[in-house]
Amino acid sequence: MSTPDWEALRSAAVEAARNAYAPYSKLHVGVAGLVDDGRVVLGCNVENASYGLGLCAECTMAGQLRLTGGGRLVAVACRSGAGELLMPCGRCRQILYELGGPECLVDTPSGVLPMSAVLPDAFGPADLP
Ligand code: THU
């Protein structure tokens, strides 16, 4: 697997944010994930009148990953529609960890980091009996 094209991933995330449904927070979020087979999967946030049931962009990307052939995430970039870098929330870090493992790379304010740094000492599939 070659080096991820981070600029392409970041642009794809900004573009994906155009599909967001965020009437409550007004924060339009998009995410792009490079898969180990070379395809790019996208997600956007989909909010809910209950507030608490809103879906982050990473959640809908997880569905797209599975719906379009599965595979493992190798690099992920999350952006607002305005192009600001956004860090995945705690729940979404766990979702990314499940589908990408400790080596999946994440675009962060501190640079590109592996999931093992973004979610240290993670609980994961290997911890189940
Ligand atoms: N949000 C995401 O979709 N992903 C992130 O990484 C950060 C936050 C969404 C959730 C909610 O719809 C809105 O941003 C405001 O928190």
Side-chain angles (χ1 to χ4, degrees):
M1 169 62 59
S2 53
T3 308
D5 183 344
W6 285 103
E7 282 314 313
L9 275 184
R10 289 165 187 148
S11 299
V14 173
E15 189 68 20
R18 291 161 60 93
N19 299 294
Y21 174 72
Y24 308 107
S25 76
K26 318 274 194 226
L27 179 62
H28 292 213
V29 182
V31 66
L34 176 65
V35 186
D36 59 358
D37 64 4
R39 70 190 205 280
V40 172
V41 288
L42 304 173
C44 63
N45 57 334
V46 180
E47 296 186 346
N48 192 279
S50 72
Y51 288 23
L53 291 179
L55 302 176
C56 286
E58 294 87 339
C59 295
T60 64
M61 181 182 74
Q64 282 299 301
L65 175 72
R66 295 305 310 170
L67 284 162
T68 60
R72 301 287 290 168
L73 293 171
V74 298
V76 174
C78 184
R79 295 271 158 161
S80 72
E84 301 146 325
L85 187 156
L86 297 172
M87 275 304 282
C89 73
R91 178 173 185 263
C92 289
R93 294 181 200 198
Q94 189 74 39
I95 285 168
L96 297 178
Y97 188 86
E98 180 76 24
L99 300 172
E103 286 158 23
C104 176
L105 299 172
V106 184
D107 198 23
T108 87
S110 311
V112 171
L113 294 175
M115 276 306 305
S116 56
V118 168
L119 192 64
D121 300 318
F123 176 81
D127 295 305
L128 293 174

